[in-house]
């Protein structure tokens, strides 16, 4: 056989045999999933030439997952090779782009999991050809640009997760096709504004999370409908006011700058309202909410509190007033309120208190007075006045040991558990009959 001799290294390179980048990846079946491990598609050339197959052909492949892989794009060949696949999981695979047409052959796909990648943009008509998708998870990417028609055709989508991205702006019509979506997650983005009608077309929405953004205004009137919205979370933003649609059941609006609250519509349905870490100075800034069960106004700027305020909340069970600046508590309730059962007043500035202040609240089960500045607490006939009080928290106060006799005597025969431990006593205090004092 003749041996080809090269006149130069360069000529040898040109005449050398070309090695194909084509590679067939074979999946292993684990827990009813077709699992592809260590798929390396870092260039467009390797992406085009790669083929995929299964070690079993006994039944149609319904779920495909990539593990320990690195891919510049999600390989469209997957949907051609496995036309019956319903779940595609390419999470944490280094994917950078999703070109238009990526799902053109994904006719059977119902769930798309692409969390933890490096995707920066969602282009128009991205999911064309995959109208049956009901769950999309794109959390923990680098998405900053979502084109107006990115979700067109997804009229069966139920869940959309875009959390932990870099989205600063959304087109007013970007969700217009999502008439069946029930859950939208947009937390941990860079949103400073949300259009007043952004979710108007999402008539099936029941849960929305836009927490941890930079919103200064968010019009919740757009959720005013005849059916319930289960929960909206707008916490950790920059809101100064918040409105409650009558059909909303749970609102989390903590860690804002809220100074006022309003209700849209009559007979509001809200049962849970969290307004902790805001700028409220009075519970009177909250309107009547007759179905409210839990109210959290902890860590606001309240200095006084009158239990007559709870008459605005006819079903209130839990009231959280922790972490305010309350030094004075009054009670002008004209008659007993028997629905309120849990009261949190820890981390305030109470110095002296008489349990008679709670006299019209006979069904209290738990009362937290911890970490105030209490030197005296009068509790005469506590077992008669509060027959179901099973927990009284007194940790972190400034009781004087020589003035505890009457209090411990009253508590001794009550069902109320009140005793602390020496580890919870301040420096210079000792434990006397279960109460820290000096």
């Amino acid at each position: 056989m003749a041996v080809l001799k090269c006149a130069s290294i360069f000529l040898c390179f040109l005449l050398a045999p070309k090695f194909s980048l084509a590679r067939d990846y074979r999946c292993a079946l684990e827990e009813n999933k077709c699992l592809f491990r260590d798929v390396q598609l870092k260039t467009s050339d390797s992406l085009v030439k790669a083929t995929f197959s299964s070690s079993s052909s006994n039944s149609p492949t319904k779920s495909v997952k990539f593990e320990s892989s690195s891919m510049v794009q999600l390989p469209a060949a997957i949907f051609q090779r496995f036309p019956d696949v319903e779940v595609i999981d390419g999470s944490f695979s280094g994917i950078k782009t999703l070109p238009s047409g990526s799902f053109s052959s994904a006719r059977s796909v119902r769930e798309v999991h692409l969390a933890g990648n490096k995707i920066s943009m969602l282009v128009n008509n991205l999911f064309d050809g995959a109208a049956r998708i009901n769950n999309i998870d794109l959390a923990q990417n680098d998405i900053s640009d979502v084109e107006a028609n990115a979700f067109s055709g997804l009229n069966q989508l139920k869940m959309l997760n875009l959390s932990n991205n870099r989205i600063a702006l959304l087109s007013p019509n970007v969700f217009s096709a999502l008439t069946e979506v029930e859950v939208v997650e947009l937390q941990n983005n860079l949103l400073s504004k949300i259009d007043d009608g952004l979710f108007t077309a999402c008539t099936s929405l029941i849960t929305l999370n836009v927490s941890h953004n930079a919103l200064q205004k968010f019009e919740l009137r757009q959720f005013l409908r005849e059916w319930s919205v289960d929960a909206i979370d707008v916490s950790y933003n920059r809101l100064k006011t918040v409105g409650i649609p009558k059909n909303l059941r749970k609102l989390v609006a903590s860690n804002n700058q809220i100074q006022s609250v309003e209700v849209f519509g009559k007979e509001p349905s809200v049962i849970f309202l969290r307004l902790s870490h805001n700028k409220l100075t009075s519970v009177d800034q909250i309107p009547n909410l007759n179905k409210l069960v839990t109210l959290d106004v902890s860590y606001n700027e309240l200095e006084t509190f009158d239990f007559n305020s709870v008459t605005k909340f006819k079903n209130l069970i839990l009231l959280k007033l922790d972490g305010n600046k309350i030094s004075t508590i009054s009670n002008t309730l004209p008659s007993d309120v028997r629905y309120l059962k849990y009261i949190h007043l820890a981390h305030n500035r109470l110095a002296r208190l008489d349990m008679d202040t709670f006299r019209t609240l006979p069904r209290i089960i738990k009362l937290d007075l911890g970490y105030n500045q209490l030197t005296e607490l009068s509790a005469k006939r506590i077992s008669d006045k509060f027959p179901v009080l099973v927990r009284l928290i007194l940790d972190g106060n400034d009781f004087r040991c020589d003035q505890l006799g009457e209090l411990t005597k009253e508590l001794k025969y009550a069902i109320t558990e009140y005793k602390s431990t020496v580890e919870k006593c301040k420096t210079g205090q000792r434990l006397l009959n279960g109460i820290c004092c000096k």
Side-chain angles (χ1 to χ4, degrees):
M1 180 182 293
V3 178
L4 178 64
K5 294 185 178 180
C6 305
S8 69
I9 296 176
F10 178 70
L11 183 60
C12 284
F13 174 78
L14 291 177
L15 297 175
K18 300 296 188 291
F19 295 98
S20 173
L21 294 173
R23 179 176 173 183
D24 180 59
Y25 291 97
R26 185 176 292 264
C27 74
L29 291 177
E30 294 185 13
E31 299 179 353
N32 298 319
K33 292 180 181 178
C34 186
L35 184 60
F36 288 97
R37 285 193 175 92
D38 196 31
V39 175
Q40 302 297 314
L41 303 174
K42 298 181 180 181
T43 65
S44 298
D45 197 30
S46 62
L47 184 75
V48 170
K49 294 182 178 180
T51 58
F52 301 88
S53 58
S54 173
S55 58
S56 173
S57 57
N58 294 333
S59 59
T61 299
K62 298 290 186 180
S63 179
V64 171
K65 181 177 181 179
F66 294 91
E67 189 174 272
S68 303
S69 297
S70 180
M71 305 181 292
V72 65
Q73 295 176 16
L74 184 68
I78 281 289
F79 305 119
Q80 298 164 1
R81 175 61 183 82
F82 303 106
D84 297 310
V85 66
E86 296 181 356
V87 179
I88 182 75
D89 189 345
S91 303
F92 300 95
S93 296
I95 297 171
K96 295 181 179 180
T97 61
L98 288 176
S100 181
S102 294
F103 297 90
S104 58
S105 301
R107 293 181 296 275
S108 300
V109 172
R110 296 179 181 274
E111 297 184 19
V112 176
H113 299 278
L114 294 173
N117 284 293
K118 300 176 182 179
I119 302 164
S120 61
M121 182 178 185
L122 302 182
V123 299
N124 285 331
N125 308 308
L126 173 58
F127 299 97
D128 275 9
R132 300 179 69 184
I133 294 177
N134 57 44
N135 186 347
I136 296 175
D137 185 358
L138 287 162
Q140 300 180 57
N141 275 278
D142 295 323
I143 300 170
S144 59
D145 189 1
V146 182
E147 294 191 344
N149 296 311
F151 304 111
S152 64
L154 294 178
N155 54 16
Q156 293 187 36
L157 190 69
K158 299 290 185 182
M159 301 182 67
L160 176 61
N161 190 347
L162 293 170
S163 64
N164 294 279
N165 278 286
R166 302 182 59 79
I167 303 169
L169 184 65
L170 286 167
S171 166
N173 300 314
V174 70
F175 297 140
S176 60
L178 307 185
T179 55
E180 297 299 319
V181 72
E182 297 178 354
V183 179
V184 175
E185 297 188 57
L186 285 164
Q187 65 270 29
N188 288 294
N189 275 284
L190 303 174
L191 291 166
S192 59
K193 180 183 178 181
I194 287 180
D195 188 82
D196 290 351
L198 181 65
F199 297 98
T200 301
C202 304
T203 52
S204 299
L205 190 67
I206 57 175
T207 302
L208 172 66
N209 192 338
V210 292
S211 65
H212 295 271
N213 276 283
L215 296 173
Q216 298 183 32
K217 178 180 177 292
F218 184 22
E219 180 58 79
L220 296 187
R221 197 187 302 268
Q222 60 189 291
F223 300 98
L224 194 57
R225 300 162 187 154
E226 293 304 318
W227 51 92
S228 294
V229 177
D230 281 354
I232 295 178
D233 189 343
V234 296
S235 58
Y236 291 91
N237 278 285
R238 302 172 185 173
L239 302 175
K240 292 184 178 180
T241 183
V242 67
I244 306 174
K246 68 172 186 177
N247 51 316
L248 179 63
R249 293 174 56 81
K250 178 179 179 179
L251 177 62
V252 179
S254 58
N255 295 87
N256 280 279
Q257 302 167 18
I258 294 171
Q259 300 175 29
S260 64
V261 182
E262 59 180 325
V263 170
F264 303 134
K266 296 180 180 180
E267 300 181 6
S269 300
V270 65
I271 61 174
F272 182 99
L273 180 57
R274 177 172 293 160
L275 294 167
S276 59
H277 297 275
N278 278 292
K279 302 290 185 181
L280 295 169
T281 57
S282 171
V283 174
D284 294 335
Q285 293 167 292
I286 303 171
N288 291 10
L289 302 169
N290 287 334
K291 295 182 181 179
L292 194 66
V293 173
T294 297
L295 175 61
D296 184 353
V297 287
S298 58
Y299 296 93
N300 275 271
E301 298 181 359
L302 280 68
E303 296 182 359
T304 63
F305 180 75
D306 188 334
F307 277 102
N308 191 48
S309 299
V310 302
T311 57
K312 297 193 300 180
F313 317 118
K314 302 297 184 183
N315 287 281
L316 192 66
I317 294 176
L318 170 60
L319 175 61
K320 298 194 70 173
L321 296 165
D322 323 53
N324 280 282
K325 304 173 184 178
I326 299 172
S327 58
T328 304
I329 294 179
S330 55
N331 186 346
T332 58
L333 280 167
S335 58
D336 286 359
V337 167
R338 306 181 73 84
Y339 46 80
L340 190 58
K341 294 178 171 59
Y342 303 90
I343 302 173
H344 293 208
L345 280 161
H347 296 280
N348 276 287
R349 300 177 181 178
L350 299 171
R352 292 180 177 82
L353 188 62
D354 191 327
M355 287 293 291
D356 271 354
T357 303
F358 308 97
R359 63 190 178 280
T360 52
L361 306 166
R363 307 305 293 177
I364 299 176
I365 294 174
K366 177 182 177 181
L367 176 61
D368 188 350
L369 297 172
Y371 300 94
N372 276 275
Q373 301 165 14
L374 289 172
T375 57
E376 297 179 20
L377 177 64
S378 176
K380 293 180 180 178
R381 296 175 54 214
I382 188 171
S383 58
D384 294 333
K385 295 177 181 177
F386 307 100
V388 295
L389 181 61
V390 297
R391 188 75 174 101
L392 176 63
I393 300 175
L394 300 173
D395 302 336
N397 280 290
D398 300 321
F399 293 111
R400 292 176 56 88
C401 295
D402 58 0
Q403 296 179 357
L404 283 179
E406 193 67 31
L407 175 60
T408 54
K409 180 180 178 181
E410 291 289 340
L411 290 171
K412 182 177 181 179
Y413 298 104
I415 65 168
T416 306
E417 174 57 49
Y418 67 92
K419 292 184 178 180
S420 186
T421 59
V422 68
E423 292 81 10
K424 294 183 179 180
C425 293
K426 297 179 181 178
T427 302
Q429 289 186 328
R430 63 189 178 94
L431 196 64
L432 178 63
N433 295 323
I435 299 177
C436 295
C437 61
K438 61 181 178 180

